[in-house]
Every structure is written in C-alpha cells, then in structure tokens.
Coordinates of all heavy atoms in Angstrom, one line a residue:
S1 N 95.3 117.5 47.7 CA 94.5 118.2 48.7 C 93.8 119.4 48.0 O 94.5 120.3 47.5 CB 95.3 118.7 49.9 OG 94.5 119.3 50.9
R2 N 92.5 119.5 48.1 CA 91.7 120.6 47.6 C 90.7 121.1 48.6 O 90.0 120.2 49.2 CB 91.0 120.2 46.3 CG 91.9 120.1 45.1 CD 91.0 119.7 43.9 NE 91.1 118.2 44.0 CZ 90.5 117.4 43.2 NH1 89.8 117.9 42.2 NH2 90.7 116.1 43.3
D3 N 90.7 122.3 48.9 CA 89.7 122.9 49.8 C 89.7 122.1 51.2 O 88.7 121.9 51.8 CB 88.3 122.8 49.3 CG 88.1 123.6 48.0 OD1 88.8 124.6 47.8 OD2 87.4 123.1 47.1
G4 N 90.9 121.8 51.6 CA 91.1 121.1 52.9 C 90.7 119.6 52.9 O 90.7 119.0 54.0
V5 N 90.4 119.1 51.8 CA 90.0 117.7 51.7 C 91.0 116.9 50.9 O 91.4 117.4 49.8 CB 88.6 117.5 51.0 CG1 88.3 116.0 50.8 CG2 87.5 118.2 51.8
T6 N 91.6 115.9 51.4 CA 92.6 115.1 50.8 C 91.9 113.9 50.1 O 91.0 113.2 50.6 CB 93.6 114.5 51.7 OG1 94.2 115.7 52.4 CG2 94.7 113.7 51.1
S7 N 92.3 113.7 48.8 CA 91.8 112.5 48.1 C 92.9 111.8 47.4 O 94.0 112.3 47.3 CB 90.7 112.9 47.1 OG 90.9 114.1 46.5
L8 N 92.7 110.6 47.0 CA 93.6 109.8 46.3 C 93.2 109.9 44.8 O 92.0 109.6 44.5 CB 93.7 108.3 46.7 CG 94.4 108.1 48.0 CD1 94.3 106.6 48.4 CD2 95.9 108.4 47.9
I9 N 94.1 110.2 43.9 CA 93.9 110.2 42.5 C 94.5 109.0 41.9 O 95.7 108.6 42.2 CB 94.5 111.5 41.9 CG1 93.9 112.7 42.5 CG2 94.3 111.5 40.4 CD1 92.4 112.9 42.3
F10 N 93.7 108.3 41.1 CA 94.2 107.1 40.3 C 94.1 107.5 38.9 O 93.0 107.7 38.3 CB 93.3 105.9 40.6 CG 93.3 105.4 42.0 CD1 92.6 106.1 43.0 CD2 94.1 104.3 42.4 CE1 92.6 105.7 44.3 CE2 94.1 103.9 43.7 CZ 93.3 104.6 44.7
K11 N 95.3 107.6 38.2 CA 95.3 108.1 36.8 C 95.9 107.0 35.9 O 97.0 106.5 36.1 CB 96.2 109.4 36.7 CG 96.1 110.0 35.4 CD 97.1 111.2 35.3 CE 96.6 112.3 36.2 NZ 97.4 113.6 36.0
E12 N 95.1 106.7 34.9 CA 95.5 105.7 33.9 C 95.7 106.4 32.6 O 94.8 106.8 32.0 CB 94.5 104.6 33.8 CG 94.8 103.4 32.9 CD 93.8 102.4 32.9 OE1 92.7 102.6 32.4 OE2 94.0 101.3 33.5
K13 N 97.0 106.4 32.1 CA 97.3 107.2 30.9 C 97.3 106.2 29.7 O 97.7 105.1 29.8 CB 98.6 107.8 31.0 CG 98.7 108.9 32.1 CD 100.0 109.6 32.2 CE 100.0 110.7 33.2 NZ 101.3 111.4 33.3
H14 N 96.7 106.7 28.6 CA 96.7 106.1 27.3 C 97.3 107.0 26.3 O 97.7 108.1 26.7 CB 95.3 105.7 27.0 CG 94.6 104.8 27.9 ND1 94.7 103.4 27.9 CD2 93.9 105.0 29.0 CE1 94.1 102.8 28.9 NE2 93.6 103.8 29.6
S15 N 97.5 106.6 25.1 CA 98.2 107.4 24.1 C 97.5 108.7 23.8 O 98.1 109.7 23.7 CB 98.4 106.6 22.8 OG 97.1 106.3 22.2
R16 N 96.2 108.8 23.8 CA 95.5 110.0 23.4 C 94.5 110.5 24.5 O 93.8 111.5 24.3 CB 94.8 109.9 22.1 CG 95.8 109.6 21.0 CD 95.2 109.5 19.6 NE 94.5 110.7 19.2 CZ 95.0 111.8 18.7 NH1 96.3 111.9 18.6 NH2 94.3 112.9 18.4
H17 N 94.4 109.8 25.6 CA 93.5 110.2 26.7 C 94.0 109.6 28.0 O 94.9 108.8 28.0 CB 92.0 109.8 26.4 CG 91.8 108.3 26.5 ND1 92.2 107.4 25.5 CD2 91.2 107.6 27.5 CE1 91.8 106.2 25.9 NE2 91.3 106.3 27.1
Q18 N 93.3 110.0 29.1 CA 93.6 109.4 30.4 C 92.3 109.3 31.1 O 91.4 110.1 31.0 CB 94.6 110.2 31.1 CG 94.2 111.6 31.4 CD 95.3 112.5 32.1 OE1 96.4 112.0 32.2 NE2 95.0 113.7 32.5
L19 N 92.2 108.2 31.9 CA 91.1 108.0 32.9 C 91.6 108.4 34.2 O 92.7 108.1 34.6 CB 90.8 106.5 32.9 CG 90.1 105.9 31.7 CD1 90.0 104.4 31.9 CD2 88.7 106.5 31.6
V20 N 90.7 109.1 34.9 CA 91.1 109.6 36.3 C 89.9 109.2 37.2 O 88.8 109.4 36.9 CB 91.3 111.1 36.3 CG1 91.6 111.6 37.7 CG2 92.3 111.5 35.3
F21 N 90.3 108.6 38.4 CA 89.4 108.3 39.4 C 89.8 109.0 40.7 O 91.0 109.0 41.1 CB 89.4 106.8 39.7 CG 89.0 106.0 38.5 CD1 89.9 105.4 37.7 CD2 87.6 105.7 38.3 CE1 89.5 104.6 36.6 CE2 87.2 105.0 37.2 CZ 88.2 104.4 36.3
D22 N 88.9 109.7 41.3 CA 89.1 110.6 42.5 C 88.4 109.9 43.6 O 87.2 109.9 43.7 CB 88.6 112.0 42.2 CG 88.8 113.0 43.3 OD1 89.2 112.6 44.4 OD2 88.6 114.2 43.1
L23 N 89.1 109.4 44.6 CA 88.6 108.7 45.8 C 88.8 109.6 47.0 O 89.9 110.0 47.3 CB 89.2 107.4 45.9 CG 88.8 106.5 47.1 CD1 87.3 106.2 47.0 CD2 89.6 105.2 47.1
R24 N 87.7 109.9 47.7 CA 87.8 110.7 49.0 C 86.8 110.2 50.0 O 85.8 109.5 49.6 CB 87.6 112.2 48.7 CG 86.2 112.5 48.3 CD 86.0 114.0 48.0 NE 86.7 114.4 46.8 CZ 86.8 115.6 46.5 NH1 86.3 116.6 47.1 NH2 87.5 116.0 45.4
L25 N 87.0 110.6 51.2 CA 86.1 110.4 52.3 C 85.2 111.6 52.5 O 85.7 112.7 52.6 CB 86.8 110.0 53.6 CG 87.4 108.7 53.7 CD1 88.1 108.6 55.1 CD2 86.3 107.6 53.6
E26 N 83.9 111.3 52.5 CA 82.9 112.4 52.8 C 82.1 111.9 54.0 O 81.3 111.0 53.9 CB 82.0 112.7 51.7 CG 82.7 113.5 50.6 CD 81.8 113.9 49.5 OE1 80.6 113.6 49.5 OE2 82.3 114.5 48.5
G27 N 82.4 112.4 55.2 CA 81.7 112.0 56.4 C 82.0 110.5 56.7 O 82.1 110.0 56.6
N28 N 83.0 109.8 56.7 CA 83.3 108.4 56.9 C 82.8 107.5 55.8 O 82.8 106.3 55.9 CB 82.7 107.9 58.2 CG 83.4 108.5 59.4 OD1 84.5 109.0 59.3 ND2 82.7 108.5 60.6
Q29 N 82.3 108.0 54.7 CA 81.8 107.2 53.6 C 82.7 107.5 52.3 O 83.0 108.7 52.0 CB 80.4 107.6 53.2 CG 79.4 107.2 54.2 CD 79.3 105.7 54.4 OE1 79.3 104.9 53.4 NE2 79.2 105.3 55.7
P30 N 83.2 106.5 51.7 CA 84.0 106.7 50.5 C 83.2 107.3 49.3 O 82.1 106.9 49.1 CB 84.6 105.4 50.1 CG 83.7 104.4 50.7 CD 83.1 105.1 51.9
R31 N 83.7 108.2 48.6 CA 83.0 108.8 47.4 C 84.0 108.7 46.2 O 85.1 109.1 46.3 CB 82.6 110.2 47.6 CG 81.9 110.8 46.5 CD 81.3 112.2 46.8 NE 80.5 112.7 45.7 CZ 80.9 113.2 44.6 NH1 82.2 113.3 44.4 NH2 80.0 113.7 43.7
L32 N 83.5 108.1 45.2 CA 84.3 107.9 44.0 C 83.8 108.7 42.8 O 82.6 108.7 42.6 CB 84.4 106.4 43.6 CG 85.2 106.1 42.4 CD1 86.7 106.3 42.6 CD2 85.0 104.6 42.0
R33 N 84.6 109.4 42.1 CA 84.3 110.2 41.0 C 85.2 109.8 39.8 O 86.4 109.6 40.1 CB 84.4 111.7 41.3 CG 83.8 112.6 40.2 CD 84.1 114.0 40.6 NE 85.1 114.4 39.6 CZ 85.7 115.5 39.5 NH1 85.5 116.4 40.3 NH2 86.6 115.7 38.5
G34 N 84.7 109.6 38.7 CA 85.5 109.2 37.5 C 85.3 110.1 36.4 O 84.2 110.6 36.1
Y35 N 86.4 110.4 35.6 CA 86.3 111.3 34.4 C 87.4 110.9 33.5 O 88.3 110.2 33.9 CB 86.2 112.7 34.8 CG 87.4 113.3 35.6 CD1 88.5 113.8 34.9 CD2 87.4 113.2 37.0 CE1 89.6 114.3 35.7 CE2 88.5 113.6 37.7 CZ 89.6 114.2 37.0 OH 90.6 114.7 37.8
W36 N 87.4 111.4 32.3 CA 88.4 111.2 31.3 C 88.8 112.5 30.7 O 87.9 113.5 30.7 CB 88.0 110.2 30.3 CG 86.9 110.6 29.4 CD1 85.6 110.6 29.7 CD2 87.0 111.2 28.1 NE1 84.9 111.1 28.6 CE2 85.7 111.5 27.6 CE3 88.1 111.5 27.3 CZ2 85.5 112.0 26.4 CZ3 87.9 112.1 26.0 CH2 86.6 112.3 25.6
S37 N 90.0 112.7 30.2 CA 90.4 113.8 29.5 C 91.3 113.4 28.3 O 92.0 112.4 28.4 CB 91.1 114.9 30.4 OG 92.3 114.3 30.9
G38 N 91.2 114.2 27.2 CA 91.9 113.8 26.0 C 92.7 115.0 25.5 O 92.6 116.1 25.9
I39 N 93.3 114.7 24.4 CA 94.1 115.7 23.7 C 93.1 116.8 23.1 O 92.0 116.5 22.6 CB 94.9 115.1 22.5 CG1 96.0 114.2 23.1 CG2 95.5 116.2 21.6 CD1 96.8 113.4 22.1
G40 N 93.5 118.0 23.2 CA 92.7 119.1 22.7 C 91.6 119.6 23.7 O 90.7 120.3 23.3
G41 N 91.6 119.2 24.9 CA 90.7 119.6 25.9 C 89.4 118.8 25.9 O 88.4 119.2 26.6
F42 N 89.3 117.8 25.2 CA 88.1 116.9 25.3 C 88.1 116.1 26.5 O 89.1 115.8 27.1 CB 88.0 116.0 24.1 CG 87.9 116.7 22.8 CD1 88.9 116.9 21.9 CD2 86.6 117.2 22.4 CE1 88.8 117.5 20.7 CE2 86.5 117.8 21.2 CZ 87.6 118.0 20.3
G43 N 86.9 115.8 27.0 CA 86.8 115.0 28.2 C 85.4 115.1 28.8 O 84.5 115.7 28.3
G44 N 85.2 114.4 29.9 CA 84.0 114.5 30.6 C 83.9 113.5 31.7 O 84.8 112.7 31.9
G45 N 82.8 113.5 32.4 CA 82.6 112.5 33.5 C 82.2 111.2 33.0 O 81.7 111.0 31.9

C-alpha cells in the first residue's frame, strides 16, 4: 500500500537482477507497470 492505493507486486528474482511487475486498479481499470533492478543500483522501466 502506497499513498492509500493497494497494488499487487509480482517479483521474479534472478542471480544478479530482479523483474518487478506492479498491478493496481485505477478507477476500475487495471494498470500494470514493469521495471527491473540489479546489483549496484542499476535498473529501469
């Protein structure tokens, strides 16, 4: 829960990085956001 909005996080971990999918409802419509993060602070959408 962030800013009063609850979302489901789907996190897939790998040896040196992870994939993250953030699923939330915005007005009755599902919204999906995906990003990755790695060792040393690398990552992005």
Side-chain angles (χ1 to χ4, degrees):
S1 185
R2 283 177 273 182
D3 301 326
V5 176
T6 301
S7 36
L8 282 177
I9 301 296
F10 297 79
K11 186 183 292 185
E12 184 177 69
K13 295 181 180 180
H14 299 274
S15 62
R16 300 185 56 82
H17 73 282
Q18 62 187 7
L19 288 171
V20 181
F21 298 95
D22 182 348
L23 180 61
R24 69 178 67 188
L25 282 178
E26 286 185 359
N28 295 340
Q29 294 295 318
R31 182 173 187 278
L32 181 64
R33 194 184 103 183
Y35 58 94
W36 66 278
S37 61
I39 294 176
F42 294 102

